[in-house]
Amino acid sequence: MQCHDAVVSPSIRPLEDRDHEDVVALSLRAWAPVFTSLEYVLKGSEVFGQLHPDWRVSQQDAVAAVCSSDTIRAWVAEDDSAVAGFVAVQLDHEHSIGEIHMLAVDPTHQHRGIGTSLTAFALDRIEEAGMAIAMVETGADPSHAAARRTYEQAGFTALPVVRYFKKL
């Protein structure tokens, strides 16, 4: 049986320049198990190594790009005055789709409802922007189970997709 911490209602505010370092750091901590799982699912380092020669560097760059983007809006969740998580939303006005582009919760703040709060907050922003559809992507591997539960509880419907990789 897994012990869950008490559910909190985090304060959510727009991402500020001063948050970038904290957001990158918490994202790397949050996604470390994801990349360990991905390496296992991809059966070792041959394919994984080609796709992610240094996942920390590529993820750091990806999060930093989101933090400084002019087209992606991001917010942080604070818990006990610390940046505990963040969510980034990208809007496609042409197709009326709002995407939860990135979401991460620091492992020290997980299992407290912060991911659920950030998801609900993002959905509200997407709806306020007049989008007809909200979309989010996550993995099917074991490390993404909590994310899948959060999105399903928020009313998302999964579209099964199978992506195959082979080292040549």
Side-chain angles (χ1 to χ4, degrees):
M1 183 173 178
Q2 187 178 19
C3 178
H4 293 283
D5 295 327
V7 173
V8 298
S9 293
S11 168
I12 300 175
R13 62 170 174 76
L15 175 92
E16 298 174 2
D17 288 344
R18 66 183 169 104
D19 300 317
H20 292 201
E21 189 175 307
D22 289 339
V23 166
V24 168
L26 79 83
S27 297
L28 293 177
R29 288 190 297 273
W31 294 329
V34 169
F35 283 94
T36 299
S37 177
L38 185 57
E39 183 173 15
Y40 175 78
V41 169
L42 290 172
K43 300 181 181 12
S45 62
E46 281 190 17
V47 171
F48 180 81
Q50 284 293 129
L51 293 172
H52 306 286
D54 188 340
W55 73 263
R56 286 173 184 81
V57 170
S58 60
Q59 285 304 114
Q60 179 177 332
D61 292 348
V63 175
V66 164
C67 287
S68 60
S69 174
D70 291 332
T71 60
I72 298 173
R73 298 217 31 228
W75 296 267
V76 296
E78 290 184 321
D79 183 28
D80 297 329
S81 300
V83 175
F86 90 108
V87 65
V89 170
Q90 187 165 26
L91 303 175
D92 177 347
H93 292 281
E94 181 181 347
H95 297 99
S96 195
I97 296 174
E99 176 186 5
I100 298 177
H101 183 74
M102 231 178 238
L103 189 150
V105 177
D106 194 303
T108 61
H109 296 271
Q110 290 177 357
H111 308 294
R112 300 175 70 187
I114 294 171
T116 299
S117 294
L118 285 167
T119 299
F121 184 89
L123 289 173
D124 287 345
R125 303 297 77 77
I126 291 168
E127 186 174 18
E128 287 171 2
M131 301 295 105
I133 296 172
M135 179 184 83
V136 65
E137 245 181 68
T138 194
D141 62 289
S143 71
H144 284 96
R148 289 191 306 275
R149 277 192 305 276
T150 296
Y151 302 139
E152 289 166 8
Q153 289 172 354
F156 283 92
T157 301
L159 171 65
V161 174
V162 178
R163 184 180 289 175
Y164 291 94
F165 294 93
K166 178 181 178 357
K167 172 75 171 110
L168 301 175

